[in-house]
Amino acid sequence: MSTIMEEAIPATERHTVHSGITCNQSLQAVQDALYVLNGKWKLPIIIALKDGPRRFRELQRLVTGITAKVLSKELKELEMNEFAVRHVYATIPVTVEYELTEYSHSLDSVIEALYQWGIQHRARILGKDKLNVL
């Protein structure tokens, strides 16, 4: 038995109809993800750490425009959310390195999707997508 909505919309044009509960769950999941990855610095820091452990100053040089205070705050939040780990070595002077955790790899597909979308969006806004049609 089909619903009135199913009869009104051809099968090829139907989208999943969400109940209020599933919409709220979807919204909550997206809000949680945005809360953890908020701001403009967390993903660039994660990307800068992809090639291996880095010292604080290395990260500051790689993530252009970030201040030491903001980098410190962001690294603490990345540690708190289990995306990065801080290693302190008993050298003189003390050496501190930051490294991605295994859990951080759960963001790989998210980062790749954002990368692909960013390229597409930039091309669209700059009008270069018309050149790719040829």
Side-chain angles (χ1 to χ4, degrees):
M1 179 176 186
S2 62
T3 65
I4 295 171
M5 186 173 191
E6 288 174 332
E7 292 172 1
I9 303 171
T12 56
E13 295 179 23
R14 273 187 220 137
H15 297 284
T16 305
V17 178
H18 295 286
S19 70
I21 292 170
T22 57
C23 278
N24 286 340
Q25 289 171 340
S26 296
L27 180 59
Q28 184 64 55
V30 171
Q31 286 175 328
D32 289 346
L34 291 174
Y35 175 79
V36 170
L37 299 172
N38 70 349
K40 66 180 186 177
W41 299 115
K42 286 199 181 66
L43 288 176
I45 293 167
I46 289 169
I47 292 166
L49 288 169
K50 285 277 186 199
D51 291 334
R54 304 262 187 203
R55 289 179 166 187
F56 187 89
R57 293 280 181 217
E58 284 180 279
L59 284 170
Q60 196 173 8
R61 280 192 299 275
L62 287 170
V63 182
T64 308
I66 195 167
T67 65
K69 182 179 178 180
V70 171
L71 178 57
S72 178
K73 176 185 143 311
E74 297 292 310
L75 286 167
K76 285 177 186 170
E77 289 180 14
L78 287 171
E79 284 181 85
M80 184 181 70
N81 286 292
E82 301 180 7
F83 293 118
V85 64
R86 180 178 189 253
H87 299 288
V88 179
Y89 300 100
T91 57
I92 300 175
V94 173
T95 303
V96 179
E97 287 184 334
Y98 295 88
E99 182 177 24
L100 292 179
T101 62
E102 280 297 315
Y103 180 63
S104 71
H105 296 296
S106 65
L107 293 172
D108 289 349
S109 61
V110 173
I111 292 169
E112 178 63 24
L114 284 169
Y115 168 76
Q116 293 297 329
W117 183 85
I119 289 172
Q120 170 197 334
H121 179 68
R122 179 177 289 267
R124 178 184 178 99
I125 295 302
L126 296 177
K128 293 182 180 175
D129 61 334
K130 295 173 186 156
L131 299 176
N132 293 332
V133 175
L134 300 176

